[in-house]
Amino acid sequence: MTTPPTPGPTPDSRRRSMVVAAFGTVVEWYDFSIFFYVSASLAATFFDGDDSALLLTLALGAAGFVFRPVGAMVFGHLGDRIGRRSSLVVSASLMAVALLGIAVMPGSDTVGIWGGVGVLVLRCLAGFAVGAEYTGIMVYLVESARDGRRGLAASWAAANSEVGSLLAVGGSYLLSRLLTTEDMDTWGWRILFLVGALLAAAMVPLRRFMDETETFTRVRDSPADTGTSPLITVLRHHPRAVLVSFLVSAVGSAAYFLNITNVPTYLGQTTEITGSTSLWLGTVAAVAAIIVTPFIGAASDRFGRRPLFAVLAVVILVTTLPAYMMLSGDAGTTALLGAAFLAVPAAGWSAVAASAVPEQFTAVGRFSGMAVGYNTATVLFGGLSPFVATWLMDVTGSVYAPAWYAVGVILVAGVPMLFLFREQADRPLSEVNSDSELLPVT
C-alpha cells in the first residue's frame, strides 16, 4: 500500500498565509526605522545629547545590522531544514523581546553608560532576529504565488516594509506634535518602541496559522536530500546567485536608508526645518513609496525584472543629487517634491528585488543563500549608510555627501549586477526550483 499524498493548501488558506507573511515586514521595518527616526531623542536619553551623541547613536543603530548575517545563517539553515514558517515564528518572538527591552531601558541619568550598553545588546538581538524576516517572507511569498504573479505578490513584502516605515515616521511625527521636546526625549520615544513590541508579539500566534510552502515540502521529502547543510550547498554551487543577491540588496539598502529613512535626520542636520516638519516630509515620502510599490511589482511581471532594474538605476542616478538640492531649499513644495523624488525610485527598486532575488536560487538553499547575500549587503549599505553619510558630511563639509554616496553605490554595485542577473520572470517556479544550470544537485 502507498501513502496518499498530503493535500496541499486551499486557495483561501494560501491567501491567508500570504497576508500573514507579508504583514511581518511591517514589524521588521518599523523596528529598524523607528531607531533612526527618534535617534535625536535616544542620543539625549542615553548619551546626554553632547556633540558626539548623535553619531554614537547612529553607530548603535548600525550595530544591529552587523548581527543580521549571523541571524541569516542560523535562520536560513532553519528555514531550509525545519520550514519557512517555523523560523519566522522564532524570529518574531525575539524581535518582541528586543523592542520591549529598549522601551523600558533606563537612561544615562539613572544607570550611566550601562543604558547605552543595554541598547547595544538589544539592537544586536533584534538584528539577529530579523536576519530571517524580510528574506524569509520574500521566499515565502515567491513560493506561494501563482506563476506570472510573483512580482506582484512579493512586492507586497516591500510595500508592507514601507508601511512599517510609515508607522514609524507617522508615529514619531504625531508624538512630536503632541509632546514637548523634553517630554519626547524623556519618555515619548518609549511609546513607539512599546508599540513595536506589541506588533511583534502579535505576529507569533498569527504565524502559526501559516501553511508551509509546497516548494519546501517537496525538498524536505525528496529522497535526493543528502543531509548536507543548505548553506554550504548554496555557497559551493550557487556563488553567482549569492553575489547577485548581494549586489541587488546593496543598491536597494543604500537607496532606501539614505533616500527614505534618513531624510528626517538629514533635514534636522542641514536645514532650519523643525523636527515635526521633517517627520511630516518623511511621512509623505513613505506614502508615495507605498502607493507605487505594487504597481512596479506588477510591471516587473509584465516587462521583466532586468528592464525595470535598469530604468530604476538610471532614475536614481539622475534624480538623487537634484532631489537633495530640493530638500535643502525650503520646507514647502520644493522640499516635498525632493522627498518624493528620493522615495519613489528607492521603493521601486525594493519592489522588483522582492521577487527577483529569490528567483536567482533553486529550491535547495534558497532561504540560506538569499539570507546571507541580502543581509550582508544590508549591513554594509543599509544600517551603516546613515552613519557613513553623516561622517562624510562632517569630513567634507558638503551637505550633498549622502547623494554622492548613493550615486557611488549605484555605479559600483548596480552596473555589474545588471550583467550577472538572470531573468526568471517568465519561467514557472517549478523550472527555477530544479534548474540544473543554477544549482547542480547530486
Side-chain angles (χ1 to χ4, degrees), residues 6-26:
T6 304
T10 64
D12 287 343
S13 176
R14 178 178 295 181
R15 282 192 292 271
R16 180 195 65 211
S17 297
M18 292 175 70
V19 169
V20 171
F23 180 70
T25 60
V26 173

Side-chain angles (χ1 to χ4, degrees), residues 416-437:
M417 181 279 295
L418 291 173
F419 288 96
L420 294 171
F421 182 80
R422 290 185 174 98
E423 182 61 71
Q424 307 277 37
D426 58 347
R427 301 184 66 192
L429 186 64
S430 59
E431 290 185 10
V432 177
N433 283 341
S434 57
D435 193 338
S436 59
E437 179 186 352

Side-chain angles (χ1 to χ4, degrees), residues 333-356:
T333 304
T334 301
L336 187 63
L337 289 174
F341 284 149
L342 289 174
V344 169
W349 189 278
S350 297
V352 181
S355 57

